[in-house]
Amino acid sequence: MALSDIAIRSAKAQDKPLMMNDGSGLRLIVRPSGKKTWQLRYRFADQPVTTNLGDYPRITLAMARAIRADVKDKIAQGIDPSLKEGEVTKDEQFETVAARWLSGQVPNWKPAHALRVSNRLYDDVFPELGHLRTRDITSKQVLTMLRKIEDRGALDVARRVRQTLSAIFRFAIIEELATVDPAAPVIDAMMRKPRQKHNPYLRDTEVTAFLHRLNAYSGDRVTQLGIRFHLLTMVRSQEARFAKKVEFEGKMWRIPAHRMKEGLEHLVPLSPQAQVVVEELCSLNDSEWLLPSPYLGKPISENTLIGAIYRMDYKGRLTVHGLRRTASTILNESGLFHFDAIERQLAHVPKDTVRAAYNAAQYLPKRIEMMNWWGDWIETAENRAKTDLTDLLGPNSQDDFPLLGEDVLLGDDVLLV
């Protein structure tokens, strides 16, 4: 039965403590000394809790009932009633939630990526948001934190951090530690990344002039062949720079997974023209590297090939990666090959591809045909250019090839050689 003020005032001390229940865990204890104390019992997180609310009459019956109602309301919201105002449990703190989310992701990531994500959280996010209750974090607080990253010019990092925060908040919602993702709407308020400039590349009508410059290049032979190798194989710079001779198996180049951007083994069919380049490179030295540096037994540096392209007067007009785009553009514009086969040869793996189901040999017969076609296309362009120059300069033109910087007219184009 519920208590009344009259019953409480008239309650007399006894030899043993007297328990007077008001219901829903609230009771008054009348001690042998005559002291009357309010006590509340409840369960939180499946654990029984008993707490003293204060003494009567300083804490009246109405006040005790109000405290009981507040405790029940907090429990319904998943809030620990024992916490002081503004106090946050460790389990509710954003840093704890984020760390649990991170531990679940790391096994599926490359170590380098896991380290980058972890460093961003500990360096940029946790100092600002880590101590806050996850469910209380607002979009304004998220944006304020991201602004500090943007202010140092790291716009791409800021956008990646926002993506990470969204993933963490979605995890928190599943764990019932948050109700919304405050990082989601922030994207519209972030600084926009400047429009990316694509690597300069060659149009099909420009390849002939470039091949003449390449043939006239008087620098290191490995460098010259390295540029031709890039053009014929369509690979990324790192994949070629660190290529080892043991990876080449006749008509096929098998690039190990650890050197690929997507972390998956990649097969490169070698056209007859590419095979000739590989054979000559292998015969030039006894290094393990296909493209060795002349110093210290290392592969060529990342600046070697681009430096040669600049010396050929293509600075601002072509990059090493642009050779890859050149091949992709011409193959797509030919209309002879399916887009998926070209993309797979470029090692562009769809984001929704399941890694376990990835097949390095997918479209391989068509890719072999395509790479042979591409080798023939390069050879034809080169032969056509030689014919044009011979007609223009005479049969001995190749022996008297103009110096770099002079102009030679080829049909409607000016060939800078």
Side-chain angles (χ1 to χ4, degrees):
M1 180 181 294
L3 295 176
S4 65
D5 283 316
I6 294 177
I8 294 173
R9 285 196 301 270
S10 61
K12 304 298 182 181
Q14 301 179 12
D15 294 338
K16 296 181 179 180
L18 174 65
M19 306 290 184
M20 302 178 67
N21 292 311
D22 189 55
S24 298
L26 180 63
R27 66 185 182 183
L28 183 74
I29 301 177
V30 182
R31 304 186 185 281
S33 64
K35 185 177 182 180
K36 299 174 181 179
T37 302
W38 291 107
Q39 194 175 79
L40 181 64
R41 296 176 298 170
Y42 61 88
R43 294 185 70 85
F44 183 78
D46 291 330
Q47 296 296 320
V49 180
T50 301
T51 181
N52 290 330
L53 306 183
D55 297 333
Y56 179 88
R58 185 175 64 84
I59 302 297
T60 66
L61 174 60
M63 293 169 63
R65 286 173 173 171
I67 294 173
R68 178 182 61 189
D70 182 61
V71 167
K72 291 176 65 177
D73 185 56
K74 286 182 177 179
I75 292 174
Q77 298 180 54
I79 301 173
D80 188 348
S82 66
L83 293 178
K84 297 178 181 179
E85 189 68 27
E87 189 176 355
V88 182
T89 65
K90 188 173 181 61
D91 287 343
E92 292 179 302
Q93 288 180 343
F94 182 75
E95 180 171 346
T96 303
V97 176
R100 283 179 35 227
W101 170 84
L102 185 63
S103 66
Q105 305 302 313
V106 167
N108 301 317
W109 290 345
K110 290 183 178 180
H113 178 66
L115 182 61
R116 281 194 298 271
V117 175
S118 177
N119 286 343
R120 290 168 187 162
L121 288 173
Y122 282 91
D123 293 343
D124 295 313
V125 179
F126 292 162
E128 303 292 328
L129 307 177
H131 63 288
L132 301 177
R133 181 184 284 114
T134 305
R135 70 174 65 251
D136 294 340
I137 295 175
T138 65
S139 294
K140 184 176 181 180
Q141 289 172 317
V142 171
L143 182 60
T144 299
M145 182 274 298
L146 293 174
R147 284 276 188 253
K148 294 183 179 181
I149 302 176
E150 292 178 334
D151 288 345
R152 64 176 191 252
L155 301 187
D156 189 60
V157 171
R159 299 184 79 83
R160 291 179 185 275
V161 169
R162 191 210 64 79
Q163 292 174 345
T164 299
L165 291 179
S166 270
I168 295 171
F169 281 117
R170 291 195 299 271
F171 169 77
I173 291 172
I174 295 173
E175 294 285 304
E176 298 184 349
L177 293 170
T179 56
V180 296
D181 170 14
V186 171
I187 188 171
D188 293 326
M190 296 182 68
M191 295 176 63
R192 292 193 177 276
K193 188 177 180 181
R195 186 179 296 275
Q196 184 179 2
K197 294 183 179 180
H198 291 289
N199 290 294
Y201 71 106
L202 301 171
R203 295 291 184 180
D204 56 354
T205 55
E206 300 173 314
V207 175
T208 293
F210 173 75
L211 290 171
H212 271 295
R213 281 189 170 273
L214 182 59
N215 288 333
Y217 181 74
S218 59
D220 184 68
R221 180 61 173 166
V222 169
T223 301
Q224 184 184 39
L225 290 172
I227 295 174
R228 183 180 292 274
F229 179 72
H230 265 280
L231 184 60
L232 289 167
T233 57
M234 303 162 46
V235 296
R236 298 181 179 93
S237 178
Q238 177 170 297
E239 294 157 10
R241 280 182 56 221
F242 294 98
K244 294 185 176 181
K245 295 175 181 177
V246 295
E247 297 169 0
F248 293 86
E249 306 166 356
K251 298 180 180 180
M252 192 67 63
W253 175 21
R254 189 179 299 271
I255 307 178
H258 70 268
R259 209 165 66 249
M260 296 300 301
K261 182 178 180 180
E262 301 294 340
L264 301 166
E265 183 185 63
H266 184 54
L267 298 179
V268 181
L270 300 174
S271 65
Q273 295 80 4
Q275 293 174 50
V276 169
V277 173
V278 171
E279 289 171 3
E280 182 174 352
L281 284 169
C282 289
S283 69
L284 288 176
N285 56 74
D286 57 0
S287 170
E288 64 174 322
W289 307 103
L290 183 72
L291 301 174
S293 166
Y295 310 104
L296 304 177
K298 296 181 179 180
I300 59 174
S301 77
E302 58 186 344
N303 296 320
T304 300
L305 300 188
I306 189 63
I309 289 174
Y310 286 174
R311 287 192 293 276
M312 292 162 58
D313 201 27
Y314 275 87
K315 186 173 184 179
R317 301 160 58 195
L318 178 66
T319 64
V320 176
H321 195 83
L323 295 172
R324 178 175 159 90
R325 188 180 175 196
T326 295
S328 172
T329 300
I330 294 174
L331 287 169
N332 276 291
E333 290 179 350
S334 74
L336 299 174
F337 307 101
H338 195 281
F339 173 78
D340 288 341
I342 298 173
E343 288 296 287
R344 184 51 51 87
Q345 192 53 56
L346 291 168
H348 289 165
V349 180
K351 292 183 179 180
D352 59 352
T353 295
V354 179
R355 290 175 61 90
Y358 174 82
N359 180 4
Q362 190 174 17
Y363 306 114
L364 189 57
K366 196 65 178 177
R367 286 159 53 192
I368 292 173
E369 177 187 342
M370 179 177 67
M371 296 303 283
N372 286 338
W373 182 91
W374 175 236
D376 290 342
W377 192 96
I378 292 295
E379 184 175 354
T380 300
E382 194 166 22
N383 290 336
R384 182 174 61 247
K386 291 178 181 178
T387 301
D388 290 343
L389 276 183
T390 300
D391 292 343
L392 181 65
L393 302 177
N396 297 322
S397 60
Q398 297 306 307
D399 296 331
D400 300 319
F401 204 89
L403 297 175
L404 293 181
E406 297 180 0
D407 294 350
V408 175
L409 186 64
L410 279 182
D412 296 329
D413 299 323
V414 173
L415 169 61
L416 299 177
V417 294

